[in-house]
Amino acid sequence: MHRMGYRLFCLFGLLALGCLPVQAQQITRGPYLQNATEDAISILWRTDTLCTSRIRYGASPGNLNLTIVDTTRTYNHRVRITGLDPYSRYYYAAGIDTLDLEGDDSSHHFHTNPVRGTAQPIKIWALGDFGRGNAQENWVRDGYVRLAKADRPADVWLWLGDNAYDTGTDSEYTLKVFDVFDSLFDSQIFWPTPGNHDYGSVNQNGLPPTHTGPYYSIVEVPTNGEAGGIASGGEMYYSFDYGNIHFVSLNSELGPWIQGVNTPLTQWLEADLQATNQPWKIVYFHQPPHSKGSHNSDNFWETTMFGMRTNIMPIVERHGVDLVLSGHSHVYERSKLMNGFYDWSFLYAPIFEVDGGSGNETLGEEYHKALSGTNANKGTVYVVAGNGASSYAWGALNHPMMVAGWGCDTCVGSLIIDVQNDTLRGKFYSSAGVVKDQFSIFKDLTVGSLPADVPENGLKIWPNPFSERLEFEIETKRSAQLSVIVSDLEGREVWTDELGKFAPGRHSLLLADLPANLPSGNYILQISDGIETWSHRIVKQSH
């Protein structure tokens, strides 16, 4: 249920407060966050009466000094906030034209996206087949909350489809999604894909983009490339960038667009993946190309799984996608590092393995993706995480490309992915917080991009973006006096300092006296010993 402590009411007769009809008024869904970019975000909510919309926002609770009002009276409210700073936290309150109904506290806040292409630690939470309104869904939610408190909340929350059972009706979304995850919606932005159960209430009217229904009424995703990627022109599928990761949300429920090799979906996917230069690429959708769980990808009637495998995955792998996430099969499965296998499981052969090991870093078997040579940028890990609240005990879990599998009557959980610079680490947690599988992918990346005439050689920077303090690690070959220069991208110096004399070896240093008035934006940090220079792009963010 919604937290009534946050609800204010319109009293009888106070039409000036923006509510029709004149009766007690409250938020019945949300507020929730959608379609975040570097400088904008949408806040949506529902009220039980026709009301105007107001969002107040600012840098801290009690200091919401900016306001947007929409005088249109509606049940379903949407306010788009623009002109925000990248990778920055804001607090907000949602309400009507003269009153806050919810917010202006520490839990109601959002982060804008970081500058595209910049590197900082990124945490992803992914789960599928969760919208059941059962005890298992609560277990998985509570398990994630414990993990978030022990570390930090996810930056990106991925929905892998079948978000609301049984047929994705509006009331099922209310009872089995919004009421269950109510406390998370205050501050966590979700990036969805639909499943076959969500499509139970979608009016398809033939081919997309004419699909309508509760799923499409609830979500707001980037359709014009405003968050990165190529414009998709509709909400059926889309892409976005978060830091140095390119995400693609496909739609496995589009019937003939999945079964062909030259459809609007495949044409868009090819163009989108071709256009991105992000070092990490993650693609997600509902029905997996490979599974031996509650759905068997070898069954001839699994035509959608077959279509995703034979028509979509060749495009995905050709463009070096690192990770493919799906749901649908109510188990957990995870593959080896694969390339080129798009057939029935009985035709599997080790020749399709870029790395046939476990991928477990603790065993020294992490996957390495080479950026040059015979297997340049080849290798994709496939994950099925369709047990966010659904479970299945009778799956064979014996697909030969899978290195991990977990399923039983109570086997529910979710996937946490951490990406930092040249490393992606995935861990699947049971609802009790037990790690059931883990894998890592290493790449030899140059994080960020520098002008062609600026060398980069062994300088490690964190955090990046930064707000006040910046740490770096450097290895010197000689005793020397080190100096630091910060320049804008056009080469103009904005700050210099002497760091002192250092002996040969590896040194970790803190830059704590950077000018407080340095504007947000992109800069080049250079460290010099008078002979050699180390360089790295850095991003200054607001507090």
Side-chain angles (χ1 to χ4, degrees), residues 260-329:
V261 296
N262 187 25
T263 70
L265 173 63
T266 59
Q267 292 168 1
W268 171 82
L269 178 62
E270 187 84 56
D272 182 79
L273 291 176
Q274 179 67 40
T276 185
N277 58 4
Q278 294 281 52
W280 292 103
K281 303 178 186 70
I282 297 175
V283 171
Y284 62 104
F285 49 88
H286 182 58
Q287 298 201 36
H290 310 277
S291 179
K292 290 283 189 174
S294 64
H295 291 271
N296 184 344
S297 54
D298 283 345
N299 288 338
F300 68 89
W301 58 82
E302 298 282 8
T303 57
T304 297
M305 298 171 73
F306 177 82
M308 295 301 294
R309 179 169 69 247
T310 58
N311 300 323
I312 309 300
M313 291 308 99
I315 302 172
V316 165
E317 290 189 357
R318 183 162 60 249
H319 292 284
V321 168
D322 305 290
L323 188 61
V324 168
L325 306 175
S326 304
H328 193 54
S329 204

Side-chain angles (χ1 to χ4, degrees), residues 224-247:
N224 296 310
E226 62 267 37
I230 299 296
S232 64
E235 292 185 327
M236 289 73 60
Y237 47 86
Y238 61 95
S239 62
F240 66 97
D241 290 332
Y242 192 95
N244 64 345
I245 306 176
H246 185 64
F247 291 89

Side-chain angles (χ1 to χ4, degrees), residues 13-336:
L14 295 182
L15 288 175
L17 296 184
C19 295
L20 287 177
V22 285
Q23 63 185 46
Q25 187 271 345
Q26 62 178 329
I27 292 178
T28 59
R29 174 184 287 175
Y32 62 101
L33 308 165
Q34 287 282 267
N35 197 10
T37 69
E38 297 173 21
D39 60 0
I41 197 168
S42 294
I43 303 179
L44 296 84
W45 69 98
R46 176 179 290 178
T47 53
D48 61 348
T49 60
L50 286 168
C51 285
T52 58
S53 308
R54 183 182 75 169
I55 288 291
R56 294 193 307 122
Y57 64 101
S60 60
N63 185 32
L64 308 183
N65 59 329
L66 299 169
T67 303
I68 299 176
V69 175
D70 185 343
T71 58
T72 304
R73 298 179 187 275
T74 184
Y75 294 104
N76 296 304
H77 304 259
R78 172 196 177 274
V79 171
R80 182 74 172 168
I81 306 174
T82 60
L84 303 171
D85 290 330
Y87 205 49
S88 299
R89 174 181 286 200
Y90 294 85
Y91 295 82
Y92 70 94
I96 57 178
D97 54 4
T98 56
L99 282 178
D100 295 336
L101 297 176
E102 187 171 322
D104 196 8
D105 55 35
S106 60
S107 67
H108 288 77
H109 63 266
F110 60 82
H111 275 95
T112 49
N113 292 0
V115 175
R116 297 171 200 171
T118 58
Q120 59 279 309
I122 300 171
K123 186 175 292 292
I124 303 160
W125 180 36
L127 70 167
D129 303 74
F130 58 87
R132 289 191 174 273
N134 58 9
Q136 287 91 329
E137 186 176 4
N138 293 328
W139 299 347
V140 173
R141 175 204 60 202
D142 294 344
Y144 165 73
V145 170
R146 288 191 295 269
L147 292 172
K149 288 181 178 178
D151 184 11
R152 66 182 183 89
D155 304 295
V156 178
W157 180 10
L158 301 181
W159 291 8
L160 304 182
D162 282 1
N163 312 305
Y165 285 87
D166 287 318
T167 56
T169 65
D170 185 81
S171 61
E172 287 171 341
Y173 268 99
T174 296
L175 294 173
K176 300 178 181 182
V177 180
F178 285 98
D179 285 356
V180 173
F181 293 102
D182 186 48
S183 61
L184 300 181
F185 284 122
D186 294 344
S187 58
Q188 297 241 223
I189 304 163
F190 67 89
W191 301 88
T193 194
N196 55 293
H197 282 273
D198 303 298
Y199 256 64
S201 294
V202 168
N203 181 3
Q204 301 185 38
N205 290 327
L207 294 176
T210 57
H211 293 185
T212 59
Y215 170 83
Y216 290 109
S217 298
I218 289 166
V219 308
E220 181 187 319
V221 297
T223 62
N224 296 310
E226 62 267 37
I230 299 296
S232 64
E235 292 185 327
M236 289 73 60
Y237 47 86
Y238 61 95
S239 62
F240 66 97
D241 290 332
Y242 192 95
N244 64 345
I245 306 176
H246 185 64
F247 291 89
V248 180
S249 174
L250 296 178
N251 187 333
S252 60
E253 313 310 311
L254 295 184
W257 286 16
I258 302 301
Q259 303 305 331
V261 296
N262 187 25
T263 70
L265 173 63
T266 59
Q267 292 168 1
W268 171 82
L269 178 62
E270 187 84 56
D272 182 79
L273 291 176
Q274 179 67 40
T276 185
N277 58 4
Q278 294 281 52
W280 292 103
K281 303 178 186 70
I282 297 175
V283 171
Y284 62 104
F285 49 88
H286 182 58
Q287 298 201 36
H290 310 277
S291 179
K292 290 283 189 174
S294 64
H295 291 271
N296 184 344
S297 54
D298 283 345
N299 288 338
F300 68 89
W301 58 82
E302 298 282 8
T303 57
T304 297
M305 298 171 73
F306 177 82
M308 295 301 294
R309 179 169 69 247
T310 58
N311 300 323
I312 309 300
M313 291 308 99
I315 302 172
V316 165
E317 290 189 357
R318 183 162 60 249
H319 292 284
V321 168
D322 305 290
L323 188 61
V324 168
L325 306 175
S326 304
H328 193 54
S329 204
H330 298 167
V331 296
Y332 173 79
E333 297 168 287
R334 194 262 301 170
S335 79
K336 307 162 189 175

Side-chain angles (χ1 to χ4, degrees), residues 355-410:
D355 189 328
S358 70
N360 190 329
E361 186 179 347
T362 65
L363 302 177
E365 297 181 7
E366 67 276 356
Y367 299 133
H368 291 262
K369 286 191 69 170
L371 299 184
S372 61
T374 304
N375 287 324
N377 207 28
K378 287 184 179 180
T380 302
V381 171
Y382 290 82
V383 173
V384 178
N387 55 350
S390 305
S391 59
Y392 190 73
W394 302 279
L397 299 178
N398 62 351
H399 197 293
M401 69 181 280
M402 299 296 178
V403 73
W406 185 58
C408 66
D409 283 335
T410 58

Side-chain angles (χ1 to χ4, degrees), residues 414-466:
S414 58
L415 180 69
I416 299 290
I417 303 161
D418 287 287
V419 179
Q420 184 168 7
N421 293 349
D422 60 357
T423 304
L424 181 152
R425 294 181 174 94
K427 289 185 178 181
F428 188 86
Y429 289 88
S430 73
S431 58
V434 177
V435 176
K436 308 303 294 186
D437 179 48
Q438 57 183 303
F439 63 94
S440 300
I441 304 173
F442 288 4
K443 284 187 177 183
D444 181 17
L445 297 178
T446 298
V447 179
S449 57
L450 294 168
D453 58 344
V454 178
E456 181 172 359
N457 45 0
L459 178 61
K460 296 183 178 180
I461 297 286
W462 71 93
N464 193 16
F466 71 99

